[in-house]
Amino acid sequence: MMFIISLICCSLADFLLERRIATTTTVRKLLNTIGHLLPAFALIGVAYSGCNRVLTVILLALSVGLSGACYASFNVNHIDIAANHAPVMMGITSGFANLMGIVAPYVAGVIIGDIGSLSQWRLIFLICAGIYIFDNTFYLIFASGKEQSWNREFSNDRKSKVLKV
């Protein structure tokens, strides 16, 4: 599902940008909102789905699938703002993001303990939804799709190695 959503959203981004319907910043923020708020709402639904296994699985699949919109938002934003430095920026941001793969299970283990209850799992899913909402709000306030001035600043000895944009 994520693959299909990412293809649709990437095509939508290209359509909006090629026809100049929206700016790069607007497109990135729109798709980031789709890729973060809709999954957050699905996770809130999971938190209150109780023991309904079918509904829980559907909402979890929707949450993961809808996050595919991020492939056309913050994931390519490094290239928008500084193509010359995008690999390094992607490495740094991905490194910090992957730390959550260590932190999240630890936090879940602390909250749930040995025997998890429905209310403890609800808290886990609400924390995840809250992170999605906070992240999207932060992105809406601070993100830009405009090339940054420092993208083209480089020393003469690196001039031949820097990608020309």
Side-chain angles (χ1 to χ4, degrees), residues 55-157:
L55 179 60
T56 301
V57 169
I58 289 170
L59 289 172
L60 280 173
L62 275 173
S63 179
V64 172
L66 290 167
S67 68
C70 294
Y71 287 105
S73 63
F74 76 85
N75 274 342
V76 293
N77 199 227
H78 299 89
I79 296 168
D80 297 332
I81 65 171
N84 292 323
H85 307 287
V88 173
M89 293 187 325
M90 187 65 165
I92 292 168
T93 57
S94 291
F96 281 112
N98 285 315
L99 288 176
M100 293 305 108
I102 297 168
V103 174
Y106 175 76
V107 171
V110 168
I111 292 171
I112 293 170
D114 291 333
I115 302 172
S117 69
L118 195 58
S119 63
Q120 290 167 324
W121 278 105
R122 179 174 294 134
L123 178 60
I124 297 288
F125 289 116
L126 291 175
I127 289 171
C128 293
I131 291 169
Y132 264 131
I133 292 167
F134 172 80
D135 177 58
N136 188 65
T137 304
F138 187 88
Y139 192 83
L140 289 174
I141 294 169
F142 296 108
S144 172
K146 295 179 181 175
E147 181 184 12
Q148 301 300 299
S149 61
W150 46 267
N151 180 48
R152 295 183 184 257
E153 294 174 5
F154 49 84
S155 63
N156 288 335
D157 61 329

Side-chain angles (χ1 to χ4, degrees), residues 27-50:
V27 169
R28 300 297 181 236
K29 288 181 177 186
L30 170 68
L31 293 170
N32 197 75
T33 300
I34 291 169
H36 282 87
L37 282 189
L38 296 181
F41 295 151
L43 287 174
I44 292 168
V46 168
Y48 292 100
S49 64

